[in-house]
Amino acid sequence: MKRKIFIVLLLALCCAVQQVAARGSAAPVRALELEIGAAMITPTAKEIDFDKNKVGYNIDVELRYNLQSQPFDIGLRLDGNTFNRELKVNKDLFKFRSLSAMVVADWNINRKGIFSPFLGIGVGGGLTSNEAMKIKDVTNQPLKETVNSAAFTVMPRVGVELFHRARVTFYYKYLKETNSHFGLSVGYVIGGGRK
């Protein structure tokens, strides 16, 4: 009985979301928009050898094209981020950096409203740079070691656009195991919105 009630409620929710999306897709919007954003990020998990993860940051620029007949947008995102992990035993600090280029797509709910939730994904590639910064080596000299590599990137995300200008987005970016992270970003949108 509980399962049947759950299925009925799920179907009702899907119908309601579809109706809201259909109303939002009818609103004419400007075709192009540019978002400039910044995020606080945190690694997804502590690696076995590290004692502490530290909060980092992300800077991004995203150009999107709004489809007129459907509540979807597609675009290109460029971003860069950095965060640190600490290894207390040897007083080592490891800096994890990455640059990414992704094709992104979002499904917008209530696009004509001042409160417009969205659900999206980004897929692309990136370059990672993992740098070990030892405080002192055996010769009592500072030491740095850097490993660079290319990586496939996937970024599911969910968020809300407010007043056709501000976007708040929560995302997970997979970019190799050591560079994967969660992010919470705030962006400012130029263009877009209702015509």
Side-chain angles (χ1 to χ4, degrees):
M1 182 66 177
K2 288 182 182 179
R3 186 175 178 185
K4 288 180 182 178
I5 292 172
F6 175 75
I7 291 171
V8 169
L9 289 174
L10 185 61
L11 289 173
L13 179 63
C14 289
C15 290
V17 167
Q18 190 275 334
Q19 289 298 321
V20 169
R23 276 186 263 132
S25 68
V29 293
R30 292 184 185 95
L32 288 176
E33 61 185 26
L34 177 70
E35 179 185 350
I36 301 168
M40 291 180 60
I41 64 173
T42 184
T44 53
K46 267 202 273 193
E47 296 294 314
I48 294 172
D49 297 332
F50 296 101
D51 298 305
K52 188 175 182 181
N53 286 331
K54 297 192 174 184
V55 173
Y57 64 89
N58 182 83
I59 303 293
D60 62 85
V61 175
E62 192 171 307
L63 180 65
R64 292 186 295 271
Y65 176 76
N66 294 308
L67 301 178
Q68 297 300 310
S69 60
Q70 299 293 327
F72 292 96
D73 60 59
I74 56 173
L76 178 65
R77 175 188 172 100
L78 302 173
D79 68 23
N81 56 66
T82 183
F83 62 83
N84 294 335
R85 288 188 169 110
E86 192 174 69
L87 184 60
K88 292 179 181 176
V89 175
N90 298 324
K91 296 185 179 178
D92 291 349
L93 188 65
F94 288 75
K95 188 176 288 289
F96 293 81
R97 294 181 177 139
S98 65
L99 295 172
S100 302
M102 290 177 279
V103 174
V104 293
D106 295 316
W107 174 50
N108 303 283
I109 301 169
N110 192 30
R111 186 159 65 178
K112 68 181 180 180
I114 61 172
F115 180 84
S116 177
F118 62 88
L119 180 67
I121 191 164
V123 178
L127 298 173
T128 64
S129 174
N130 300 339
E131 186 176 87
M133 298 177 289
K134 292 188 176 183
I135 305 303
K136 299 277 178 78
D137 67 1
V138 291
T139 63
N140 209 29
Q141 297 295 317
L143 177 68
K144 287 188 179 183
E145 294 177 18
T146 304
V147 177
N148 299 315
S149 61
F152 175 70
T153 306
V154 178
M155 186 188 70
R157 64 185 183 180
V158 62
V160 63
E161 185 170 305
L162 304 167
F163 305 101
H164 307 289
R165 286 291 167 259
R167 277 171 63 111
V168 179
T169 308
F170 177 73
Y171 66 87
Y172 167 72
K173 187 175 357 174
Y174 174 81
L175 185 74
K176 299 181 86 170
E177 293 79 2
T178 54
N179 291 77
S180 297
H181 58 269
F182 288 104
L184 180 63
S185 72
V186 176
Y188 180 75
V189 179
I190 301 166
R194 291 190 290 183
K195 287 184 178 178

